[in-house]
Amino acid sequence: MNFEMNVPEPPHPGGLLLTPEEISRMRNEVVEKALAEHLDAAETDPAWSLDVLLNDAATHELERLRSEPPSLETRRQKAYWSQIAGQFPHADEKTRLELLRDIISGYVREITGYFDPRVYRLAARLLPLGFKALFTRLSPVGFLTSMGSRFSLEKNLVITGPVDHIRELSRRGTLMMTPTHLSNLDSMVIGLALHSCRLPPFTYGAGLNLFTNPILSFFMNHLGAYKVDRRKHSRIYKATLKAYATMTLKIGQHNLFFPGGARNRRGDVEQKIKLGLLGCGLSAFQANLRSGKSRPDVFIVPCTLSYGLVLEAKSLIEQHLQQTGKSRFIRLKKESNRLTRQLNFWRNLKNMDSNIHLHLCDPIDLFGNKVDREGNSRDKQGRVVDRRSYIELHGRYHPDEQRDRQYTRVLGETILDSFKRNNIILCTHVAAFSLFETIKAANPKEDLYHLVRLDGEASKVPLGDVREYIEFLMPRLLELEAAEGIRLAEYLRKMPPWEIFQSALSHFKSFHSGEVLRVEKNTAYSLNMKLLYYYRNKLDHYGLEKGTA
């Protein structure tokens, strides 16, 4: 069964401005698309038969609702899914099809995002002021005295990469931005960066939990965000979400999603990404070619984020070590989530040199080729290649599941390679790597889960050994950067090795209260080896340890 999405290509920049009628048509098209895909799958695979799909959805939803707090909405949903569970086993094929359509329609209503340009302009004005308010710890006097100058993007957010190139491609096709994911601040930082670069607004999938706050929900609901409920795991829900994301790309809405999924709890650069939503780009490209769209192309823009300090570092590394270490990891202290701790983080950001770095990487096509400013794909030898030739067969552009899965896998590998080569290193990462590796060398018999418990006296090492490690590390980093294998913050290239350690010491003290790095007489140590390990991991996977080639 072939199905084409017939929502017209809107004339609005970025494709986000849709009339109520267009939104209604879009919803209906997504429902029909998801329904058609389910029926196609059911024809060849019994695992996708209607009764199996309905049972899968009802089972997952009722299980999820058992853990939900009591509320009127929870009771309503329980009643709905209990009715589905009791009805479908005895229903005929036509009734089962109607139940499937109703479930998909409900999911689409929940997922759909909206965009209001007035709210977008308001958010663009308020966000820098929000940063300023947080920097002054929400002190009315401090805030008013700082109103003379706007939040300084040049000082607090450093944006690098081929911005003009990307802006030109946004006029030639639809962009999919795929950033690394370290913090809950990422979406806000990226949104501010896109606006400051005069790039068009992007739609993005946001966790349903973010819509529970009335103020945040207002902005999310009017800035093109579509809702993603990560508690829902049924095949119907996942397929509907993918159909919706594909539709947004097809009608020209630039998309942003974090291919790694959740925040990177280890603190390193992503080593794996999820290919499901990434494959939406190829589906949209093929559908655009079949329907003769004027701008059929979808371009990928990887993006890397780097923070000198990460607000959630303690909880993230605790979760990672607990998950990987199981019984070997002993959790000694639970992190405090007090508001004053979060405000302290923001207050101290302003005192750091270029603490948030965002790099927009070179754009690529859906098959991993670089794309030039004119929108031409180029192979590794720099020759122009026709993107359509990858999916054209006898003049037609029909999907091939096995072929398309391989293309998406290659695209994923290309994005990961871009993440690694454009990973931005700051002084806190260099110092943490050097101290951790020095402590590790002094305790060769300890495994990781014992090392992260060597806080305080047990982690002391000669200060001279740490300095020696930094002097060993920096030339290797500069050499790696020259080979386009990593990126260093500009100030790091100019800083003498020992000043790097001193700068990192000041950074850590400003937020982590000296837990990460401590210096006492001629020794260096850590009061929180887990945090030290987290920041150290930003330089993992490059073979920079002593003794490696």
Side-chain angles (χ1 to χ4, degrees):
M1 180 185 296
N2 293 321
F3 178 82
E4 287 297 338
M5 297 175 284
N6 298 311
V7 173
E9 184 175 14
H12 317 292
L16 284 176
L17 288 171
L18 298 177
T19 66
E21 292 77 17
E22 287 172 330
I23 291 173
S24 178
R25 285 190 62 186
M26 177 180 174
R27 280 178 166 178
N28 291 336
E29 294 283 2
V30 172
V31 171
E32 296 305 319
K33 171 66 173 174
L35 189 63
E37 288 182 348
H38 284 312
L39 296 178
D40 278 348
E43 289 181 3
T44 57
D45 187 353
W48 284 84
S49 63
L50 290 181
D51 58 335
V52 172
L53 284 173
L54 294 170
N55 181 62
D56 175 69
T59 301
H60 276 96
E61 291 290 0
L62 288 171
E63 181 64 30
R64 174 182 66 83
L65 291 166
R66 288 191 188 98
S67 60
E68 293 291 310
S71 68
L72 183 63
E73 177 61 19
T74 301
R75 289 196 295 273
R76 186 195 67 79
Q77 288 192 41
K78 281 183 178 178
Y80 174 78
W81 287 106
S82 295
Q83 182 180 2
I84 296 289
Q87 186 176 359
F88 84 83
H90 312 290
D92 57 26
E93 198 73 1
K94 181 181 178 180
T95 303
R96 289 176 178 174
L97 184 60
E98 291 172 354
L99 291 174
L100 178 59
R101 186 189 299 275
D102 187 66
I103 291 170
I104 294 173
S105 298
Y107 283 149
V108 171
R109 285 194 299 272
E110 175 190 301
I111 292 168
T112 302
Y114 303 90
F115 180 77
D116 187 327
R118 296 167 299 177
V119 177
Y120 179 75
R121 289 191 291 269
L122 175 65
R125 291 196 299 269
L126 290 180
L127 191 54
L129 297 178
F131 271 97
K132 188 181 292 293
L134 287 165
F135 287 162
T136 55
R137 299 192 73 175
L138 299 182
S139 161
V141 175
F143 180 66
L144 290 173
T145 56
S146 67
M147 284 295 286
S149 61
R150 287 176 59 83
F151 170 77
S152 173
L153 287 174
E154 293 78 13
K155 176 177 174 57
N156 301 107
L157 177 57
V158 177
I159 306 166
T160 54
V163 176
D164 291 342
H165 182 173
I166 294 166
R167 192 184 300 122
E168 179 60 31
L169 289 183
S170 73
R171 302 184 184 104
R172 297 178 179 272
T174 305
L175 303 181
M176 284 182 70
M177 185 166 289
T178 58
T180 57
H181 196 8
L182 287 168
S183 170
N184 282 329
L185 304 178
D186 292 349
S187 295
M188 182 165 57
V189 168
I190 294 170
L192 188 60
L194 292 174
H195 183 263
S196 70
C197 292
R198 293 182 291 112
L199 285 165
F202 282 58
T203 189
Y204 56 97
L208 193 62
N209 59 301
L210 295 177
F211 290 81
T212 56
N213 180 293
I215 297 176
L216 189 57
S217 177
F218 170 79
F219 283 98
M220 301 286 275
N221 274 316
H222 292 82
L223 292 177
Y226 57 91
K227 305 174 187 69
V228 179
D229 192 342
R230 295 186 176 90
R231 302 166 301 171
K232 295 178 178 174
H233 304 292
S234 71
R235 279 178 286 178
I236 297 177
Y237 180 77
K238 290 179 179 179
T240 304
L241 181 62
K242 188 173 181 179
Y244 182 88
T246 302
M247 174 66 78
T248 62
L249 288 166
K250 182 180 179 295
I251 64 175
Q253 292 185 354
H254 304 302
N255 263 246
L256 183 153
F257 80 97
F258 297 101
R263 292 166 296 168
N264 188 333
R265 286 167 169 76
R266 192 173 181 270
D268 57 348
V269 67
E270 273 85 346
Q271 298 300 294
K272 294 181 181 180
I273 60 177
K274 297 183 177 181
L275 302 179
L277 286 179
L278 196 60
C280 295
L282 188 54
S283 298
F285 180 46
Q286 293 177 38
N288 286 346
L289 289 173
R290 289 195 298 269
S291 58
K293 291 282 179 157
S294 60
R295 297 187 309 146
D297 293 299
V298 177
F299 303 115
I300 310 297
V301 183
C303 169
T304 59
L305 283 156
S306 195
Y307 299 78
L309 301 174
V310 176
L311 176 62
E312 315 99 303
K314 276 190 175 182
S315 59
L316 291 174
I317 195 61
E318 287 265 359
Q319 292 166 20
H320 167 74
L321 290 169
Q322 194 166 35
Q323 182 180 18
T324 57
K326 309 296 182 185
S327 60
R328 289 180 293 166
F329 174 67
I330 300 174
R331 190 168 186 170
L332 301 176
K333 184 179 179 181
K334 187 175 181 179
E335 178 188 9
S336 169
N337 287 317
R338 293 179 301 171
L339 177 62
T340 53
R341 178 177 177 80
Q342 297 183 28
L343 293 178
N344 189 45
F345 172 82
W346 285 102
R347 179 176 63 101
N348 287 294
L349 283 180
K350 66 177 181 179
N351 298 320
M352 303 172 199
D353 182 17
S354 304
N355 76 94
I356 302 178
H357 289 249
L358 183 147
H359 183 77
L360 299 170
C361 307
D362 291 333
I364 54 179
D365 66 18
L366 294 163
F367 312 99
N369 302 302
K370 286 188 176 181
V371 179
D372 64 24
R373 187 164 177 165
E374 287 69 43
N376 299 309
S377 292
R378 295 186 177 274
D379 63 18
K380 293 180 179 179
Q381 286 72 43
R383 298 170 299 196
V384 174
V385 295
D386 184 356
R387 291 183 288 271
R388 296 171 299 177
S389 66
Y390 287 91
I391 55 175
E392 183 179 6
L393 183 62
H394 306 305
R396 308 184 73 180
Y397 305 102
H398 287 302
D400 181 306
E401 185 175 350
Q402 185 175 356
R403 177 203 66 191
D404 295 350
R405 190 184 299 117
Q406 179 60 25
Y407 285 150
T408 303
R409 187 178 297 112
V410 170
L411 175 60
E413 292 170 355
T414 307
I415 291 173
L416 287 174
D417 178 66
S418 184
F419 283 170
K420 186 175 182 181
R421 290 185 293 102
N422 294 287
N423 183 26
I424 302 173
I425 304 305
L426 310 178
C427 65
T428 50
H429 308 135
V430 173
F433 188 89
S434 299
L435 179 56
F436 189 91
E437 291 301 311
T438 303
I439 296 171
K440 181 179 176 181
N443 297 272
K445 295 183 180 180
E446 304 288 2
D447 67 8
L448 172 63
Y449 301 97
H450 283 86
L451 275 174
V452 295
R453 290 161 56 190
L454 296 179
D455 296 336
E457 290 286 334
S459 66
K460 281 189 174 182
V461 291
L463 194 57
D465 290 356
V466 183
R467 179 170 186 163
E468 180 185 319
Y469 207 108
I470 296 176
E471 292 172 347
F472 156 81
L473 181 61
M474 282 306 300
R476 298 189 70 183
L477 284 173
L478 291 168
E479 183 180 343
L480 186 60
E481 184 180 44
E484 299 184 349
I486 204 168
R487 288 185 179 273
L488 305 184
E490 184 176 356
Y491 73 86
L492 201 59
R493 302 188 198 109
K494 306 172 183 177
M495 191 176 287
W498 193 239
E499 285 186 22
I500 293 172
F501 185 84
Q502 296 296 331
S503 179
L505 191 64
S506 299
H507 277 64
F508 284 132
K509 280 183 177 179
S510 69
F511 178 59
H512 289 303
S513 305
E515 295 173 281
V516 184
L517 297 183
R518 279 287 181 94
V519 173
E520 187 177 287
K521 296 182 179 178
N522 293 318
T523 62
Y525 59 100
S526 175
L527 293 178
N528 193 320
M529 286 289 290
K530 295 186 291 295
L531 268 175
L532 186 70
Y533 178 63
Y534 176 86
Y535 288 105
R536 172 257 180 225
N537 288 339
K538 191 72 169 174
L539 277 168
D540 206 7
H541 315 301
Y542 293 95
L544 295 167
E545 299 85 351
K546 283 187 177 180
T548 57

